[in-house]
Amino acid sequence: MGKGSKRKHQKKIDESIDSESETQTQGLTTLLDPPKPKKARKVVPDSDLCLVGPPIAPAEARQRWPHRYQSKNKVKKQAVTEASNDEENEVLQARNHYVEAIVDGCRYKLGDNAYVKAEDGNLDYIARIVEFFETVDQEPFFKAQWFYRAEDTVINKDNAHLIDKRRVFLSDIHDDNPLNCIISKVEIAEVAPDNDSAAKESRIPDSGLYYNMKYSLQHLTFKNIFTETSKKDNGTSSVVSSECGSNNTSSEVQRFDKSQKYLLDLYSGCGAMSTGLCMGSSLAGIKLVTKWAVDINSFACKSLQWNHPETKVRNEAAEDFLCLLKEWEKLCQKFSLLEPNKPSETVSSETGEEDDDDDDGQGCEEEKEQEQEKERQDDSGSEDSSEEFEVERLLDICFGDPNKAKKRGLYFKVLWKGYDKSYDTWEPIEGLSNCEERLKEFVSKGYKSNILPLPGSVYFICGGPPCQGVSGFNRFRNSNAPLEDVKNKQLVVYMDTIEHLKPRYVLTENVVDILKFAKGFLGRYAVGRLVSMNYQARMGMMAAGSYGVPQFRMRVFLWGSHPSERLPQYPLPTHEVFSRGGVPIEFEEIHVTYDKKDSCQLESALTLTDAISDLPQVNNDESRDQRNYGTTARTEFQKFIRLRRKDVINLTVDSRHAPSLGMLCDHQPLQLNPDDYDRVCHIPKKKGANFRDLPGVVVGENNRVEWDTTMDRVLLKSGKPLVPDYAMKFVKGRSTKPFGRLWMDEIVNTVVTRAEPHNQTVIHPSQNRVLTIRENARLQGFPDCYKLFGTIKERYIQVGNAVAVPVAIALGYSFGLACQNLCGDEPLMTLPFKFPNCLARSSQIEGGDSD
Ligand SMILES: C[S@@+](CC[C@H](N)C(=O)[O-])C[C@H]1O[C@@H](n2cnc3c(N)ncnc32)[C@H](O)[C@@H]1O
């Protein structure tokens, strides 16, 4: 049995199991032609194992299963046309087809479901019977369309406990089996894909199973059954089927309705993922707005807030944020803003109305704080000061331990009557029991202005929960129980947040290690959690370089969509970048790429020249974080990446942005210490240069470095060795990365969070320094107007952590199509634009001089 075989063996079910067409007559039956006598061999119906009844009329059988009637030999080799390859497949040839069969005295009809014998030690398989036929050797056979149990899917046995034991998934995998493999009948109810458990329970037979989704090996997809048929109803857009390699600019992309949808960016970093998603969805005509963002890193929050004044940025741990959301829901219920246990509809974002953006969550809103301070000063002038502490107003809310007093809980920031800002304190909710009115005021206002998301009010959650426990660099990885490793706990927090808020769409990003570590446990867990919540899900692995940046950077993206929504597709590459690094074989199917045989015109991969050759020269000790360009753009990429904020899609401009308009920001390198700088100055300016080119190092057998014994060790001015020991020992002397110099015709492997040259190739091709923050930002596809905050190291971290902007744009576009029901059922789609041209609000951008 070929159950679980790979994509090339998949076939679509082309046979309908329509009982009316299962005519019991032979020959073409029309109203005028009476049934002709049956000529086919009559099968004895009372045998224990046999096909029963008269065979299906030959003409009808040949029409429905033509591939079974092509030869008198047992099998016929034929090209598999439905799967995406030309390999030959053996098709069992038939004498006759039947409608019924008897196995062990039990009668089966076409369309019945049955347990099918598996290899010893395995649970019996589950199949839908889609064909009964007698082979040319007169053997009774059936064709099975397989159901998968959770443990047979990508979720696998380690995470199968997440899924209801009675739940199975229909697949498109078929194969032929001798009739005697059937063991017993099983009832499998098709239930509606929504979450109404009472309705579901009423449909599930007592000893039976149920299904509401199909499972496909292509991109390991779990998808509602209903969307298969709904496609025809919604007029699939021509946007989806545009030619691959199209050079359209954003202005040529069709725009659809403008309703506003709210995005929550969890683990937002400086906001690259949500920035790109909102840009991409706007290209599809959807106004997606990052309403809330959460990150534990205050500098990342500051960057996000500056670039997105419209976002309520919360600088807190995601686990605290989740506790806060639960408390917030209770408070909204308490003050009758929400019905108990009913998702919030009142704050639905569908209306497209802007909220009153009053008191935000704790964040980087310095300007608002200044305003509040002014208000208080005004107020305090008109009020009598009193020694008694009285709450004037609640300013903010958080969950955690804001006073660092080892007392976690729900806290409010209090403005005390008669006292200024410097006296504000965080007070636990228990201490505010006699301030119900103030509390009510705060909650009502916060509810109205959406300070926090409520279940049902978030349309889309995106996030890259850190899973540091999977990193290949982490020597203490716990591969037996990956979720018990606190470094991987965030994946659970993230999924719990999804479970609480129940958004319509989810997009999760992670490193490829999530599929490698512990046999992909965490990736499987993420899918299992989504499917257990009844989300449709599919996985894709995308290389940033394939979308128009000179950086390879492979990442995993997991889509989830609510049962009533379309599951987004993966956008196919626009640029030709060759695969580097392997993935486990079970996950090869998720690589988002063209089939080799598809002829398509991809753009050539970009190089460092394309991306950074226009940037002015800077020294190792550059201190300005803002300067004039002093140069003009030399390439298409540079022209578009330099666009001013007002010319970039989806970025707002306000007074805070004025000082940096037209300026080049963050073009500063990590300042190397004098020894490292000295070393970098010794690295020749040639392609492929690294520490191996320094005097005293020779390359021996197996590409390992050795000390040159014919000479003394060369020393720096400081007396330290020119070639440090760690460079010689790195990867047992086989690495070429220490003090590696990049070259302008190259594409980098991946932009990382640290800029030290000790074990990575980060030195500028022609200058004696590492790549600057801005150069890295360009390799990640950030427009130059996206300014970053924090120390130099912090800014490198934000850029290195980010989702490459063009990848997020491409995925945002897919989302935009899906949420308008404009995408197809197939997992892949072509983009009608390319990066960075798509950044332009208008395609009429002239010139590129930003100085
Ligand atoms: C991979 S980065 C996300 C990058 C982001 N998606 C982007 O595109 O810019 C992961 C982020 O998780 C944040 N983080 C780590 N632990 C956290 C926690 N417990 N709560 C909230 N944020 C956390 C880090 O500060 C980091 O910014």
Side-chain angles (χ1 to χ4, degrees):
M1 260 167 263
K3 190 174 180 222
S5 51
K6 294 192 42 169
R7 175 165 57 176
K8 59 188 169 196
H9 298 302
Q10 283 182 50
K11 287 184 176 184
K12 282 253 179 281
I13 310 167
D14 48 0
E15 304 82 10
S16 71
I17 306 157
D18 175 355
S19 56
E20 280 180 35
S21 68
E22 308 292 1
T23 170
Q24 303 223 343
T25 59
Q26 184 187 16
L28 281 174
T29 309
T30 68
L31 288 174
L32 298 175
D33 297 334
K36 292 183 183 139
K38 307 169 182 76
K39 283 192 205 136
R41 186 177 72 98
K42 185 144 169 91
V43 178
V44 186
D46 58 358
S47 141
D48 233 17
L49 179 84
C50 61
L51 300 163
V52 287
I56 293 174
E60 184 188 336
R62 280 167 192 276
Q63 193 196 358
R64 291 176 62 182
W65 300 287
H67 55 292
R68 299 257 188 232
Y69 293 95
Q70 291 173 344
S71 164
K72 295 247 178 301
N73 293 330
K74 187 172 179 180
V75 293
K76 166 129 176 86
K77 292 198 169 176
Q78 73 177 34
V80 179
T81 50
E82 290 150 85
S84 54
N85 62 57
D86 323 292
E87 277 176 39
E88 288 210 319
N89 200 13
E90 291 189 342
V91 179
L92 260 182
Q93 297 297 289
R95 278 168 63 101
N96 286 303
H97 273 79
Y98 290 80
V99 178
E100 290 186 359
I102 288 180
V103 182
D104 289 337
C106 177
R107 187 175 282 258
Y108 293 82
K109 288 197 179 70
L110 285 180
D112 279 349
N113 301 310
Y115 285 115
V116 177
K117 204 169 167 46
E119 293 89 30
D120 287 349
N122 289 329
L123 280 179
D124 291 327
Y125 297 137
I126 306 164
R128 172 163 293 170
I129 300 166
V130 293
E131 232 180 295
F132 283 125
F133 63 95
E134 185 186 28
T135 65
V136 292
D137 296 346
Q138 303 189 355
E139 296 291 335
F141 261 71
F142 74 102
K143 179 168 166 179
Q145 179 185 0
W146 298 109
F147 282 96
Y148 278 53
R149 295 185 174 92
E151 53 263 47
D152 305 326
T153 69
V154 58
I155 296 168
N156 102 359
K157 61 177 182 1
D158 295 336
N159 286 294
H161 63 274
L162 297 168
I163 310 292
D164 185 342
K165 278 200 164 38
R166 301 166 303 167
R167 185 170 176 192
V168 288
F169 303 90
L170 186 61
S171 78
D172 278 335
I173 310 263
H174 301 150
D175 56 32
D176 303 333
N177 299 275
L179 195 59
N180 64 3
C181 294
I182 293 179
I183 294 194
S184 61
K185 225 181 242 191
V186 55
E187 273 192 75
I188 308 181
E190 181 178 333
V191 304
D194 57 38
N195 283 312
D196 182 348
S197 55
K200 184 182 84 185
E201 289 302 329
S202 70
R203 297 214 42 168
I204 303 173
D206 280 350
S207 59
L209 306 171
Y210 75 94
Y211 74 105
N212 57 8
M213 281 188 190
K214 261 193 161 177
Y215 178 63
S216 146
L217 295 179
Q218 279 184 301
H219 292 273
L220 305 170
T221 302
F222 291 83
K223 204 148 74 69
N224 287 339
I225 307 280
F226 85 109
T227 53
E228 303 271 314
T229 49
S230 60
K231 177 183 169 188
K232 295 185 197 78
D233 306 333
N234 56 46
T236 304
S237 160
S238 59
V239 182
V240 181
S241 57
S242 65
E243 294 295 309
C244 74
S246 151
N247 286 345
N248 295 353
T249 56
S250 56
S251 62
E252 288 163 298
V253 180
Q254 203 180 334
R255 287 165 199 275
F256 306 100
D257 88 80
K258 294 276 182 277
S259 63
Q260 181 168 290
K261 301 182 188 309
Y262 288 165
L263 172 70
L264 162 62
D265 188 354
L266 277 176
Y267 312 96
S268 60
C270 66
M273 188 181 193
S274 51
T275 300
L277 287 174
C278 294
M279 288 174 168
S281 29
S282 91
L283 291 172
I286 286 294
K287 186 158 188 203
L288 181 69
V289 175
T290 310
K291 189 74 185 166
W292 311 273
V294 180
D295 200 284
I296 203 166
N297 181 308
S298 63
F299 301 108
C301 287
K302 196 163 184 203
S303 298
L304 198 153
Q305 189 69 83
W306 188 88
N307 289 288
H308 297 284
E310 70 282 8
T311 304
K312 296 169 194 299
V313 183
R314 296 196 63 93
N315 175 209
E316 64 198 356
E319 47 276 44
D320 289 340
F321 177 69
L322 176 57
C323 294
L324 176 60
L325 294 184
K326 292 180 178 170
E327 296 298 331
W328 181 245
E329 188 187 16
K330 284 188 221 155
L331 283 170
C332 290
Q333 284 166 352
K334 173 175 169 171
F335 294 113
S336 306
L337 299 162
L338 281 181
E339 281 177 42
N341 300 324
K342 194 163 173 234
S344 150
E345 298 295 345
T346 44
V347 280
S348 159
S349 56
E350 303 287 337
T351 59
E353 280 170 24
E354 283 295 333
D355 299 308
D356 131 27
D357 259 350
D358 279 3
D359 296 347
D360 278 351
Q362 101 197 67
C364 319
E365 295 273 286
E366 278 161 320
E367 281 168 31
K368 272 185 195 134
E369 281 195 7
Q370 279 163 11
E371 265 171 40
Q372 286 167 359
E373 173 60 5
K374 194 166 169 297
E375 266 177 46
R376 280 172 232 153
Q377 280 167 359
D378 293 347
D379 288 348
S380 58
S382 59
E383 298 278 339
D384 279 349
S385 306
S386 142
E387 280 311 298
E388 199 176 290
F389 290 112
E390 194 183 326
V391 173
E392 174 158 331
R393 199 146 47 100
L394 300 182
L395 302 173
D396 205 348
I397 183 169
C398 79
F399 191 98
D401 184 16
N403 299 325
K404 312 255 176 301
K406 298 206 161 79
K407 255 189 93 188
R408 284 171 55 76
L410 184 63
Y411 286 80
F412 290 86
K413 194 174 190 180
V414 175
L415 168 67
W416 298 103
K417 196 163 190 169
Y419 290 85
D420 69 23
K421 179 183 158 62
S422 60
Y423 289 88
D424 291 352
T425 53
W426 284 100
E427 298 297 325
I429 187 158
E430 302 79 40
L432 299 170
S433 52
N434 53 359
C435 308
E436 281 290 284
E437 267 314 299
R438 297 286 159 268
L439 198 57
K440 186 172 180 187
E441 225 170 74
F442 176 82
V443 176
S444 306
K445 203 169 171 198
Y447 172 79
K448 214 171 130 234
S449 64
N450 276 308
I451 57 165
L452 287 164
L454 283 159
S457 72
V458 187
Y459 198 79
F460 191 159
I461 294 183
C462 73
C467 295
Q468 287 136 346
V470 305
S471 163
F473 297 115
N474 179 356
R475 283 182 293 133
F476 307 104
R477 308 192 295 175
N478 185 350
S479 52
N480 294 328
L483 286 175
E484 278 165 31
D485 186 335
V486 29
K487 294 202 184 76
N488 298 327
K489 174 181 113 176
Q490 291 306 321
L491 188 56
V492 181
V493 173
Y494 176 75
M495 288 296 164
D496 288 349
T497 310
I498 290 166
E499 189 150 14
H500 176 72
L501 290 173
K502 299 187 176 61
R504 316 301 286 183
Y505 286 91
V506 180
L507 180 64
T508 310
E509 177 253 3
N510 230 298
V511 291
V512 177
D513 276 344
I514 198 172
L515 305 181
K516 294 185 185 163
F517 174 63
K519 301 196 180 108
F521 183 97
L522 293 173
R524 297 173 192 282
Y525 169 80
V527 180
R529 281 296 302 273
L530 286 178
V531 174
S532 74
M533 294 182 243
N534 246 344
Y535 279 93
Q536 304 169 83
R538 71 168 38 129
M539 271 187 167
M541 217 168 46
M542 299 164 77
S546 300
Y547 300 86
V549 281
Q551 183 199 183
F552 182 66
R553 198 181 193 89
M554 186 70 98
R555 290 288 183 271
V556 179
F557 293 89
L558 170 62
W559 277 121
S561 74
H562 187 274
S564 59
E565 303 287 347
R566 279 272 162 150
L567 185 57
Q569 300 168 299
Y570 289 101
L572 279 159
T574 51
H575 291 68
E576 186 155 24
V577 166
F578 295 102
S579 250
R580 301 179 187 181
V583 277
I585 190 133
E586 317 94 275
F587 293 104
E588 270 178 357
E589 296 281 343
I590 72 169
H591 192 183
V592 177
T593 180
Y594 282 98
D595 262 352
K596 284 194 193 73
K597 72 179 175 52
D598 290 344
S599 63
C600 57
Q601 300 283 306
L602 293 178
E603 301 255 329
S604 308
L606 268 76
T607 62
L608 290 186
T609 299
D610 295 313
I612 63 168
S613 62
D614 62 320
L615 290 173
Q617 185 160 343
V618 289
N619 294 329
N620 177 45
D621 58 357
E622 175 62 54
S623 59
R624 288 167 296 172
D625 68 355
Q626 199 159 292
R627 56 177 289 172
N628 287 324
Y629 278 84
T631 58
T632 55
R634 296 179 191 167
T635 64
E636 275 271 290
F637 181 96
Q638 294 162 9
K639 183 173 113 180
F640 285 97
I641 215 81
R642 282 180 173 218
L643 289 173
R644 292 177 186 226
R645 271 187 82 87
K646 67 177 174 43
D647 296 322
V648 176
I649 44 165
N650 239 62
L651 291 185
T652 53
V653 192
D654 74 14
S655 57
R656 80 189 73 188
H657 304 122
S660 62
L661 285 182
M663 302 292 280
L664 173 61
C665 304
D666 307 309
H667 189 40
Q668 283 175 289
L670 175 78
Q671 186 174 354
L672 302 174
N673 65 41
D675 290 339
D676 280 343
Y677 175 66
D678 211 354
R679 288 176 180 123
V680 166
C681 291
H682 279 84
I683 302 290
K685 295 194 173 94
K686 65 170 194 187
K687 184 167 174 150
N690 57 59
F691 80 106
R692 293 176 172 212
D693 295 287
L694 298 176
V697 182
V698 289
V699 180
E701 277 180 23
N702 296 329
N703 192 28
R704 274 185 195 211
V705 285
E706 291 164 12
W707 294 113
D708 183 347
T709 48
T710 64
M711 61 185 288
D712 289 338
R713 202 159 169 185
V714 181
L715 300 181
L716 298 166
K717 283 174 246 153
S718 67
K720 299 260 177 59
L722 171 64
V723 179
D725 287 351
Y726 58 74
M728 296 296 282
K729 288 182 190 153
F730 188 58
V731 194
K732 300 196 171 126
R734 281 197 294 265
S735 176
T736 55
K737 288 184 177 166
F739 295 93
R741 200 182 271 287
L742 292 158
W743 208 238
M744 278 294 191
D745 63 358
E746 288 176 347
I747 167 169
V748 307
N749 190 35
T750 195
V751 170
V752 290
T753 51
R754 299 176 68 233
E756 285 85 5
H758 300 163
N759 53 12
Q760 46 190 358
T761 305
V762 288
I763 304 174
H764 189 276
S766 55
Q767 297 168 38
N768 288 327
R769 58 167 177 85
V770 293
L771 290 190
T772 64
I773 304 161
R774 180 53 54 195
E775 284 164 339
N776 273 3
R778 283 210 175 167
L779 304 185
Q780 286 274 52
F782 282 97
D784 281 0
C785 62
Y786 208 94
K787 187 170 155 57
L788 300 159
F789 289 81
T791 60
I792 289 188
K793 280 192 177 171
E794 286 290 347
R795 283 181 278 161
Y796 273 108
I797 290 174
Q798 290 164 38
V799 171
N801 267 336
V803 171
V805 175
V807 175
I809 293 180
L811 288 163
Y813 184 75
S814 301
F815 153 77
L817 294 186
C819 71
Q820 297 173 92
N821 250 342
L822 292 169
C823 67
D825 274 333
E826 54 286 356
L828 302 172
M829 50 132 344
T830 52
L831 289 166
F833 55 78
K834 67 165 186 167
F835 185 85
N837 311 46
C838 63
L839 286 174
R841 270 186 207 275
S842 133
S843 56
Q844 309 302 307
I845 306 300
E846 295 297 339
D849 305 353
S850 304
D851 49 345

